[in-house]
Amino acid sequence: MTRYLRGLYIVWVALRYGLDELVLKSFRLASIARVLAVGRDLRAPRGQRLRQALEHLGPIFVKFGQVLSTRRDLLPQDIADELALLQDRVPPFPTEVAVATIERAFRRPLDSIFVSFEREPVASASIAQVHFATMRDRQGQLKEVAVKVLRPGMLPVIEKDLSLMRMMAGWIEHLSEDGRRLKPREVVAEFDKYLHDELDLVREAANAAQLRRNMAGLNLVLIPEMYWDLCQPDVIVMERMHGVPISQRERLVAAGVDIKQLARDGVTIFFTQVFRDGFFHADMHPGNIQISLAPGSFGRYISLDFGIIGTLTEYDKEYLAQNFTAFFRRDYKRVAELHIESGWVPPGTRVDELEGAVRTVCEPYFDRPLKEISLGMLLMRLFQMSRRFHVDIQPQLVLLQKTLLNIEGLGRQLDPDLDLWATAKPFLEKWMQEEVGPQKFLDELRDQAPRYAKLLPELPHLVHKYLRERSWEVRNIDRELLQELKRTNRLLQTVMYAAVGFAAGLVVVQFLLRMRGF
């Protein structure tokens, strides 16, 4: 019953914001849409109405809109731009509930875990909220920590709304050709995975630990340490970080931070995570980034919130590096070939047609200075072009494109003259040198050496075993051939005897006929 009431409420919100008009127009029923729009104020742009409807439906639909905004390869630009404005802001849940969740997770009273606990949360979102506290570590040292607590009762709410989303996705897919192109079921499935990953805070802690190890030698970014003794699926405790939000530019300038260097460092961090590690922070908006003013780490980035992480395979990294390199060489045929080699383009796609489309997207950028070229926007345009050719863009690359746009926007807010390509080019060139050539072969050989060393003593035995099995197979084949030859010989003998008998019979008959005078 609750599900149907929720469904009716969603329908009411959709009608209120004129989303039925969007659906009818996708079915090419614009005349019906105009009739139904009588008496309703639908002058606002369609993207704005969709954003307001999602905000009205609550935090789960807001998060769905945020995820959907990253799929610029599927959405019209005006809708994607409007959905990107969605903010995940919800009132905090009561501190008493947070305390009860902490005590239930660790099975002991709050005051036996923390020396002090700030009851007022410092941040609140749809999935969790954060409180500051102090505690003693194993050595008895007093530590400042941040306690992230999962919002209670989220799973039933999420499952209920996801069930409705799956049902609506099925309707869209069956009723509209344009709807099928948007792959609604795949989008909802992607959102399902994203939400369930965020509901496990231990996964976020593991992401943070991996990034902390990866970035340890770079000396450009600080990532909080996780206290694993106090990490559970619904509560995690981490090192408290002290910094100034990166959006407070005037305060950073007043403190003496080199803003231009800060912009370059941000790009360096991102490209290191992408091309060196293939493991990148995919939610790098200003709310998750601070700058340290402490003497020992002055001017370093502080990363927060590791619920969304992007990963890239070696193949993904090669695709990106070669695309960017071919783009700046104006080798559009190579860009088209890369799309076809990836296997994401339907069979039968003509290289020359795809090359022409890529040229149309890329050529206008070369009338601008390099510092004005947006690699994130370039990727977005390529993804949008790919809709015409039904290219199946992988989710991890879409996530990368969205994060790259965030990084570029952030960098150019700090330094309008930031030349992103000048920072990215060394990473691409270094990656290409490392991935192609004799050094890569030697590195692979060195990495596989322990495995080869283990197999080498066993090689004579393995060769002998293989040859023996082959000899038995040959013998079995010989035996089978011999039996088949015997069967064939017997059959031939039978045929020959029958033929001789038939011929002899004919001779006897002829002889008898002559004896009787016929």
Side-chain angles (χ1 to χ4, degrees):
M1 184 65 181
T2 307
R3 177 183 172 183
Y4 290 112
L5 290 174
R6 177 67 170 164
L8 288 172
Y9 178 71
I10 291 172
V11 170
W12 177 79
V13 171
L15 291 172
R16 177 182 174 184
Y17 289 98
L19 302 189
D20 55 314
E21 179 197 29
L22 303 183
V23 174
L24 289 170
K25 284 183 177 179
S26 73
F27 294 155
R28 296 174 174 80
L29 298 173
S31 57
I32 298 176
R34 283 193 294 271
V35 171
L36 294 177
V38 174
R40 291 187 291 171
D41 185 3
L42 302 180
R43 288 174 296 178
R46 59 179 183 173
Q48 179 182 329
R49 286 187 277 125
L50 178 58
R51 173 179 59 81
Q52 291 172 336
L54 293 174
E55 288 173 339
H56 203 101
L57 289 171
I60 302 303
F61 279 83
V62 166
K63 292 195 80 68
F64 179 66
Q66 289 175 324
V67 172
L68 200 59
S69 71
T70 67
R71 299 307 308 263
R72 291 177 179 265
D73 57 316
L74 301 177
L75 293 177
Q77 183 176 346
D78 61 320
I79 291 180
D81 289 343
E82 194 68 38
L83 292 182
L85 301 176
L86 286 166
Q87 297 294 318
D88 187 14
R89 291 189 297 253
V90 296
F93 55 88
T95 302
E96 293 73 19
V97 175
V99 170
T101 302
I102 295 168
E103 292 181 339
R104 183 171 59 253
F106 302 125
R107 298 178 182 177
R108 47 189 171 135
L110 187 73
D111 55 9
S112 70
I113 307 170
F114 303 111
V115 175
S116 64
F117 182 85
E118 294 185 13
R119 302 186 69 82
E120 189 69 25
V122 293
S124 175
S126 58
I127 297 295
Q129 67 186 35
V130 178
H131 295 259
F132 287 148
T134 57
M135 57 171 276
R136 295 196 180 276
D137 62 12
R138 291 182 176 181
Q139 288 73 41
Q141 298 292 321
L142 195 64
K143 297 287 185 180
E144 292 184 308
V145 297
V147 185
K148 189 167 187 175
V149 186
L150 193 70
R151 188 175 289 271
M154 286 300 298
L155 189 59
V157 174
I158 286 173
E159 291 296 347
K160 181 175 64 178
D161 281 350
L162 280 173
S163 176
L164 290 168
M165 286 180 185
R166 292 188 199 100
M167 182 175 67
M168 290 186 287
W171 290 349
I172 293 171
E173 200 166 275
H174 282 100
L175 296 175
S176 167
E177 184 177 344
D178 286 342
R180 280 192 294 276
R181 182 185 56 76
L182 292 174
K183 303 176 184 177
R185 289 186 181 180
E186 291 182 24
V187 172
V188 172
E190 185 181 330
F191 180 56
D192 187 348
K193 179 181 179 298
Y194 161 79
L195 270 184
H196 282 86
D197 285 351
E198 277 210 319
L199 286 176
D200 184 0
L201 296 185
V202 174
R203 185 184 183 93
E204 178 179 342
N207 290 339
Q210 180 69 55
L211 276 176
R212 182 179 169 90
R213 281 195 302 275
N214 291 350
M215 297 288 100
L218 196 61
N219 296 324
L220 293 178
V221 59
L222 303 173
I223 294 170
E225 178 186 0
M226 296 290 147
Y227 293 98
W228 287 107
D229 291 344
L230 297 174
C231 287
Q232 294 292 329
D234 48 0
V235 181
I236 56 174
V237 178
M238 69 193 82
E239 174 187 6
R240 178 178 175 178
M241 310 302 286
H242 294 274
V244 176
I246 197 168
S247 56
Q248 298 182 12
R249 189 178 188 278
E250 293 77 11
R251 187 176 168 190
L252 294 173
V253 171
V257 174
D258 185 341
I259 297 297
K260 289 183 178 292
Q261 184 61 46
L262 192 65
R264 291 192 293 271
D265 287 348
V267 178
T268 300
I269 291 166
F270 176 69
F271 278 100
T272 300
Q273 292 178 359
V274 169
F275 286 103
R276 190 192 72 181
D277 304 326
F279 190 89
F280 61 95
H281 192 307
D283 199 17
M284 294 182 72
H285 60 77
N288 287 337
I289 301 174
Q290 298 179 354
I291 304 300
S292 173
L293 299 182
S297 56
F298 185 82
R300 290 193 199 177
Y301 279 76
I302 299 172
S303 287
L304 303 171
D305 195 348
F306 309 95
I308 308 176
I309 290 291
T311 57
L312 297 174
T313 64
E314 291 300 316
Y315 184 84
D316 294 332
K317 290 191 281 185
E318 182 178 356
Y319 168 85
L320 288 167
Q322 293 201 34
N323 258 300
F324 286 146
T325 304
F327 165 72
F328 280 98
R329 291 175 181 166
R330 300 196 186 191
D331 188 354
Y332 304 126
K333 184 176 181 181
R334 182 57 187 150
V335 176
E337 289 172 346
L338 285 166
H339 278 73
I340 292 173
E341 289 169 9
S342 69
W344 302 334
V345 180
T349 302
R350 291 179 52 176
V351 177
D352 58 333
E353 289 184 357
L354 188 56
E355 178 188 354
V358 172
R359 182 180 293 107
T360 302
V361 169
C362 298
E363 194 63 31
Y365 282 88
F366 286 99
D367 289 334
R368 313 175 190 178
L370 280 176
K371 68 181 182 181
E372 294 181 13
I373 294 177
S374 165
L375 294 182
M377 190 62 68
L378 169 65
L379 270 182
M380 186 189 77
R381 298 295 186 208
L382 285 173
F383 291 168
Q384 288 176 336
M385 173 274 298
S386 71
R387 289 162 54 193
R388 174 186 158 194
F389 291 90
H390 306 287
V391 179
D392 187 15
I393 300 296
Q394 302 302 297
Q396 66 271 21
L397 294 181
V398 178
L399 192 60
L400 173 81
Q401 177 267 327
K402 169 247 186 186
T403 309
L404 187 53
L405 276 179
N406 284 345
I407 290 294
E408 287 184 317
L410 189 63
R412 285 180 172 142
Q413 282 176 11
L414 295 171
D415 178 14
D417 295 326
L418 175 67
D419 185 347
L420 191 78
W421 176 241
T423 308
K425 187 178 179 181
F427 285 93
L428 297 176
E429 291 177 342
K430 183 181 178 183
W431 187 88
M432 294 293 283
Q433 290 170 1
E434 291 175 350
E435 292 300 312
V436 180
Q439 187 59 46
K440 177 65 174 178
F441 173 76
L442 293 174
D443 290 343
E444 287 287 338
L445 196 62
R446 183 193 61 209
D447 293 341
Q448 296 294 329
R451 182 167 173 265
Y452 295 148
K454 183 180 178 182
L455 287 175
L456 197 59
E458 300 178 12
L459 191 58
H461 171 69
L462 292 173
V463 171
H464 179 263
K465 182 180 177 183
Y466 172 76
L467 292 175
R468 187 174 61 185
E469 289 175 352
R470 291 291 297 166
S471 69
W472 276 108
E473 288 177 8
V474 171
R475 289 179 189 176
N476 288 335
I477 291 171
D478 289 344
R479 190 177 296 112
E480 290 174 5
L481 283 173
L482 185 60
Q483 290 174 353
E484 189 63 33
L485 284 172
K486 287 179 178 179
R487 282 195 296 270
T488 305
N489 287 336
R490 284 196 296 270
L491 180 62
L492 287 172
Q493 287 175 358
T494 303
V495 171
M496 287 178 64
Y497 290 150
V500 170
F502 181 71
L506 287 176
V507 171
V508 170
V509 168
Q510 288 291 332
F511 178 75
L512 290 174
L513 289 172
R514 287 180 182 177
M515 288 290 291
R516 292 186 179 185
F518 286 95

